[in-house]
C-alpha cells in the first residue's frame, strides 16, 4: 500500500504551493526571536546605588562620601547595595566640614533603607528599576526568565496533544494569539508577581507556536525541503527576529514601550489565516477525507498539475492504514539496554545544549562593550550557524559534526579566563564563537535525534528530548547569576558540560546514509551494549 508521500508525489517537491507554505510558516516564527529574548532588555539592570534623602542637609562633598567604595570585577566602584549609616555621617559632617579629614571607611554600613537611585543613561525603565529587583532581591530577575521557560516546558508537553486533537492550524494561530495577547497584558502588570505569572503564559504560547509551525511544515514539505525548512527556514527567521530586538530596544528604552512595540508584530498573523491550510495528514488521521482532498486539489491548482483520478480512494486507504497504527508511550523509548543508553545520552545532551545556548544568549548584558551591539552580534552569529548546520547535515557525519561543534564550543569558553582584562573584545569574540558552535550543534541535534529513533516513536522521542531541554533552559538564567560570586564560573560550567556532551555523542551510532528505521527492532544499537529485551519487540 502506498503511503502519504507516494500518494501526494504528483504535487512535486518545490512548487508555488510549497514555497508559500515554507515562507509563511518561517515568517510566523519571526516574532518568537524578539519576544523570547526580550527579557535581556526588559529585565536589564541599570547602574544603581543607594538613595540618600536630601533632607540631611549634607554638603556636596559629604553627599559624595555616603556610599562606600568596593572592589568588583577587578575595579573600584561605588557599592550597589550598601551605604554608610546616615545618622553617623550627619553627626560627622557637623563636626568636620571636610570629609577628607575623617577616616570614613571605619563608619558602620547599612543596607539601602530608602531604596535606590538608577542611572537612566541606558534604560529609562526596566522591571528591575521599577520593582527594585536588586541586592537581596536580585534573584527575582533570573527567576522571571525561569518562569518563562517553565511555560515553555508545559507548552512542550501540551502542544503535541493539542495539535493532535484539535488540528495543527487552530493550535498554531491559537498559540500565536496566546503569546501576543499575554505580552500585551504584561504592560499592565502592577507588580513583579503578576509579571511572572503572565510570563509563564507567554512562554507557553511561544513554544507551542514554534513546535506546531515546525510540525505543520514537516507534514506539508517533502524530505529534502523538510531538512532545509527545519534547519535554515524557521531558524533563520527566528534569528532575524532576534536581530530586530536590540534595534527596537535601542530606540524604546522603556520596558513597557518595548513590549508594546513587540506585541504589535501579532498583527502580521491575521492575514496568514487565509493562506495557511490545515495539514492533510492530520485530517486523514481524523477520517476527514473530503477536506484533505480539497486542500490537495488546491495545492495541485497552485502548482499547475492535475491530481490523479484515484486520489480520494487512495486517501481513504491511507485513513484505514492510520487506524491500524499502534500507540506507544515513553516507556517504549527504553525497551532494551541499547535504547536505554541512547535515551539517557540523548536526554542529557539536549538538556546541556539548551542550558548552554540560553545561558550564552541571556548573558550578553554582562559582556564588555555596548549591550545592544553584543545582543545584535549574538543574534547575527546564529545565521551562519544554521547554514553551517545545514551544510554539515548535507555532507558530513552526524556524530562527528555534532561532537566537533560541542568540543569547539565548550573548549573556547575555557580560554576566556586567560584573556587579559585589557583585551575585553577578545573575550567577547570567544563567547560569540561558543554561541556559534552551540547554535550549530542545537540545530544538528534536532535532525540527528529524528534519525536515531524509528518512525513508530520518532515524534514521541523528539518531544521527550525537547521536554528535557526545557529543564536546561529553566536553570540557564541562574548559570550566569553565579557570575556575581565568580566572574568565570559560568563559562567553566558551560564549557565543561558542553565538552562532556561532545564525548557522550561519540557513543551514539552514525545515521548518515543509513535508512531511517521504521520499527523498534530496526533501530541501530550502541556497540558494546548488551541488548537483552525487557519485553517483546514490536515489529
Amino acid at each position: 500500500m502506498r503511503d502519504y508521500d507516494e500518494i501526494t508525489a504528483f504535487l512535486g517537491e518545490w512548487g508555488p504551493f510549497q514555497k508559500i507554505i515554507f515562507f509563511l510558516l518561517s515568517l510566523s516564527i519571526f516574532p518568537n526571536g524578539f519576544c523570547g529574548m526580550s527579557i535581556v532588555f526588559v529585565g536589564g539592570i541599570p547602574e544603581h546605588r543607594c538613595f540618600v534623602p536630601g533632607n540631611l542637609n549634607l554638603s556636596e562633598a559629604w553627599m559624595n562620601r555616603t556610599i562606600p567604595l568596593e572592589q568588583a570585577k577587578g575595579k573600584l566602584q561605588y557599592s550597589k547595595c550598601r551605604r554608610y549609616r546616615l545618622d553617623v555621617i550627619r553627626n560627622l559632617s557637623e563636626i568636620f566640614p571636610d570629609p577628607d579629614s575623617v577616616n570614613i571607611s571605619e563608619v558602620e554600613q547599612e543596607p539601602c533603607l530608602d531604596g535606590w537611585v538608577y542611572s537612566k543613561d541606558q534604560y529609562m525603565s526596566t522591571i528591575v528599576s521599577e520593582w527594585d529587583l536588586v541586592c537581596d532581591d536580585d534573584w527575582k530577575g533570573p527567576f522571571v526568565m525561569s518562569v518563562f521557560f517553565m511555560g515553555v516546558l508545559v507548552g512542550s508537553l501540551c502542544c503535541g496533544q493539542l495539535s493532535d486533537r484539535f488540528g495543527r492550524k487552530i493550535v498554531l494561530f491559537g498559540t500565536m494569539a496566546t503569546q501576543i495577547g499575554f505580552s500585551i497584558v504584561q504592560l499592565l502588570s502592577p507588580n513583579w508577581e503578576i509579571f511572572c505569572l503572565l510570563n509563564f503564559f507567554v512562554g507557553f504560547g511561544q513554544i507551542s507556536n514554534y513546535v506546531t509551525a515546525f510540525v505543520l511544515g514537516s507534514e506539508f514539505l517533502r524530505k529534502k525541503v523538510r531538512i532545509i525548512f527545519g534547519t535554515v527556514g524557521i531558524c533563520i527567521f527566528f534569528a532575524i527576529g532576534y536581530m530586530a530586538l536590540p534595534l527596537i530596544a535601542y530606540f524604546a528604552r522603556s520596558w513597557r514601550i518595548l513590549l508594546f512595540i513587540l506585541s504589535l508584530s501579532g498583527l502580521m498573523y491575521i492575514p496568514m489565516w487565509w493562506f495557511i491550510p490545515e495539514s492533510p495528514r492530520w485530517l486523514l488521521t481524523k477520517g476527514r477525507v473530503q477536506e484533505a482532498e480539497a486542500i490537495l486539489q488546491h495545492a495541485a491548482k497552485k502548482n499547475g498539475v492535475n491530481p490523479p483520478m484515484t486520489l480520494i480512494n487512495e486517501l481513504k486507504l491511507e485513513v484505514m492504514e492510520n487506524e491500524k497504527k499502534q500507540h506507544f508511550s515513553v516507556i517504549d523509548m527504553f525497551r532494551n539496554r541499547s535504547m536505554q543508553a541512547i535515551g539517557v545520552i540523548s536526554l542529557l545532551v539536549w538538556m546541556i545544549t539548551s542550558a548552554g545556548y540560553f545561558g550564552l544568549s541571556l548573558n550578553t548584558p554582562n559582556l564588555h562593550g555596548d549591550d545592544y551591539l553584543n545582543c545584535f552580534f549574538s543574534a547575527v552569529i546564529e545565521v551562519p550557524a544554521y547554514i553551517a548546520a545545514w551544510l554539515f547535515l548535507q555532507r558530513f557525519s552526524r556524530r562527528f559534526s555534532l561532537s566537533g561543534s560541542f568540543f569547539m564550543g565548550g573548549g573556547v569558553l575555557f580560554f576566556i579566563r586567560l584573556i587579559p582584562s585589557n583585551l575585553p573584545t577578545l573575550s567577547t569574540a570567544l563567547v560569540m564563537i561558543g554561541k556559534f558552535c552551540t547554535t550549530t550543534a542545537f540545530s544538528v541535534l534536532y535532525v540527528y535525534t529524528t534519525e536515531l529513533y524509528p518512525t513508530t516513536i520518532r515524534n514521541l522521542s523528539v518531544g521527550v528530548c525537547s521536554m528535557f531541554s526545557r529543564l536546561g533552559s529553566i536553570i540557564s538564567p541562574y548559570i550566569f547569576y553565579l557570575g556575581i560570586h565568580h566572574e568565570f564560573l559560568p563559562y567553566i560550567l558551560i564549557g565543561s558540560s558542553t565538552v562532556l556532551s561532545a564525548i557522550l555523542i561519540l557513543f551514539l551510532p552514525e545515521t548518515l546514509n543509513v535508512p531511517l528505521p521504521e520499527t523498534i527492532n530496526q533501530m541501530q544499537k550502541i556497540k558494546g551494549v548488551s541488548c537483552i529485551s525487557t519485553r517483546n519487540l514490536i515489529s
Side-chain angles (χ1 to χ4, degrees):
M1 183 182 295
R2 298 201 299 164
D3 62 16
Y4 178 85
D5 285 334
E6 291 179 285
I7 295 171
T8 58
F10 68 90
L11 291 174
E13 189 163 311
W14 191 232
F17 177 78
Q18 288 93 338
K19 291 176 182 177
I20 292 173
I21 294 297
F22 186 102
F23 175 75
L24 290 181
L25 288 177
S26 298
L27 183 62
S28 73
I29 303 302
F30 174 81
N32 289 40
F34 49 66
C35 287
M37 296 297 179
S38 62
I39 195 65
V40 170
F41 299 105
V42 170
I45 305 175
E47 289 295 322
H48 57 278
R49 60 177 182 172
C50 292
F51 173 72
V52 178
N55 59 0
L56 297 176
N57 297 321
L58 296 176
S59 66
E60 184 177 352
W62 271 103
M63 186 69 75
N64 292 333
R65 301 294 296 273
T66 55
I67 308 298
L69 293 170
E70 58 185 27
Q71 197 78 15
K73 296 184 178 180
K75 61 181 180 180
L76 201 63
Q77 60 184 20
Y78 284 110
S79 172
K80 298 178 185 296
C81 301
R82 306 288 295 177
R83 68 185 185 186
Y84 292 118
R85 281 187 53 180
L86 296 185
D87 57 338
V88 176
I89 292 293
R90 183 171 54 186
N91 293 335
L92 288 174
S93 67
E94 293 174 352
I95 301 172
F96 304 98
D98 183 6
D100 291 333
S101 61
V102 182
N103 185 6
I104 299 179
S105 61
E106 295 182 356
V107 175
E108 186 181 353
Q109 297 180 13
E110 63 184 4
C112 301
L113 301 177
D114 298 296
W116 291 261
V117 176
Y118 297 93
S119 168
K120 295 187 182 296
D121 292 341
Q122 182 170 350
Y123 305 108
M124 292 301 296
S125 70
T126 69
I127 61 171
V128 172
S129 63
E130 182 158 337
W131 296 314
D132 290 332
L133 309 183
V134 293
C135 299
D136 290 342
D137 287 332
D138 59 358
W139 61 271
K140 293 182 178 180
F143 187 75
V144 169
M145 200 59 195
S146 290
V147 170
F148 173 87
F149 288 122
M150 290 176 193
V152 170
L153 172 61
V154 176
S156 300
L157 295 172
C158 297
C159 66
Q161 298 178 45
L162 290 173
S163 63
D164 285 343
R165 181 173 181 179
F166 299 105
R168 313 320 192 198
K169 181 177 178 177
I170 192 170
V171 171
L172 175 65
F173 286 92
T175 52
M176 286 177 183
T178 300
Q179 177 186 348
I180 298 301
F182 280 100
S183 293
I184 294 175
V185 176
Q186 275 186 312
L187 301 175
L188 308 176
S189 300
N191 52 50
W192 170 77
E193 290 80 6
I194 297 298
F195 185 91
C196 280
L197 177 63
L198 296 174
N199 216 33
F200 174 88
F201 292 104
V202 173
F204 178 93
Q206 192 201 47
I207 189 60
S208 301
N209 162 33
Y210 189 99
V211 172
T212 306
F214 181 85
V215 171
L216 189 55
S218 299
E219 291 180 344
F220 268 117
L221 304 171
R222 297 180 70 82
K223 185 177 180 180
K224 290 183 179 179
V225 181
R226 194 181 300 156
I227 292 178
I228 299 175
F229 172 76
T231 55
V232 178
I234 59 176
C235 292
I236 285 186
F237 271 82
F238 176 89
I240 294 173
Y242 188 2
M243 283 186 271
L245 171 63
L247 299 178
I248 298 173
Y250 181 81
F251 296 100
R253 301 297 181 103
S254 167
W255 72 269
R256 294 182 191 272
I257 296 175
L258 176 60
L259 276 187
F260 177 73
I261 295 174
L262 298 184
S263 300
L264 291 179
S265 63
L267 298 177
M268 65 182 287
Y269 290 142
I270 297 175
M272 289 185 185
W273 175 269
W274 289 276
F275 293 96
I276 298 178
E278 182 56 87
S279 166
R281 287 179 185 260
W282 178 81
L283 290 170
L284 291 176
T285 64
K286 300 299 179 181
R288 295 157 63 174
V289 179
Q290 301 290 344
E291 294 176 62
E293 184 198 22
I295 292 172
L296 294 175
Q297 294 277 7
H298 171 73
K301 183 179 179 180
K302 282 283 186 183
N303 287 355
V305 297
N306 295 318
M309 299 297 294
T310 59
L311 177 60
I312 191 167
N313 292 328
E314 292 178 321
L315 292 176
K316 287 181 177 179
L317 290 175
E318 179 70 9
V319 170
M320 294 172 61
E321 186 66 20
N322 284 330
E323 290 175 348
K324 296 177 182 178
K325 291 180 179 177
Q326 295 176 311
H327 297 284
F328 296 87
S329 66
V330 177
I331 298 175
D332 294 292
M333 285 182 62
F334 305 93
R335 279 291 192 88
N336 54 59
R337 292 186 181 179
S338 180
M339 292 181 69
Q340 290 164 9
I342 292 175
V344 170
I345 291 174
S346 297
L347 297 179
L348 186 59
V349 168
W350 272 76
M351 186 169 64
I352 290 172
T353 307
S354 183
Y357 171 82
F358 286 105
L360 293 173
S361 298
L362 297 174
N363 184 54
T364 48
N366 296 326
L367 299 177
H368 297 282
D370 185 81
D371 291 351
Y372 299 97
L373 281 177
N374 288 336
C375 183
F376 181 75
F377 291 144
S378 180
V380 168
I381 203 70
E382 293 198 5
V383 175
Y386 293 131
I387 295 174
W390 175 64
L391 292 175
F392 286 155
L393 290 169
Q394 295 292 322
R395 300 173 179 271
F396 302 108
S397 159
R398 310 292 199 242
R399 213 161 44 115
F400 289 105
S401 296
L402 196 53
S403 180
S405 298
F406 279 133
F407 187 80
M408 183 176 179
V412 296
L413 297 180
F414 285 119
F415 289 99
I416 293 177
R417 65 179 302 177
L418 304 178
I419 303 300
S421 58
N422 61 340
L423 295 175
T425 304
L426 183 56
S427 297
T428 301
L430 291 179
V431 173
M432 293 305 166
I433 293 173
K435 175 72 182 297
F436 170 88
C437 295
T438 303
T439 304
T440 300
F442 215 161
S443 189
V444 173
L445 190 59
Y446 266 95
V447 177
Y448 184 43
T449 305
T450 61
E451 294 176 344
L452 276 174
Y453 285 95
T455 302
T456 52
I457 59 171
R458 185 170 295 126
N459 285 343
L460 172 70
S461 302
V462 174
V464 173
C465 290
S466 179
M467 182 190 72
F468 265 77
S469 79
R470 308 309 164 195
L471 298 177
S473 60
I474 288 172
I475 66 173
S476 63
Y478 284 97
I479 292 177
F480 281 94
Y481 179 74
L482 295 174
I484 296 175
H485 307 288
H486 191 294
E487 184 178 0
F488 301 107
L489 182 58
Y491 297 113
I492 295 172
L493 288 175
I494 292 180
S496 57
S497 60
T498 303
V499 170
L500 173 63
S501 294
I503 297 171
L504 292 175
I505 287 294
L506 295 176
F507 290 94
L508 297 178
E510 180 55 60
T511 61
L512 180 65
N513 297 325
V514 175
L516 285 177
E518 295 292 337
T519 60
I520 290 178
N521 64 343
Q522 292 176 1
M523 185 175 171
Q524 294 189 77
K525 300 174 176 60
I526 291 183
K527 294 181 180 179
V529 177
S530 176
C531 301
I532 302 175
S533 299
T534 57
R535 51 192 289 191
N536 293 330
L537 298 180
I538 297 177
S539 59

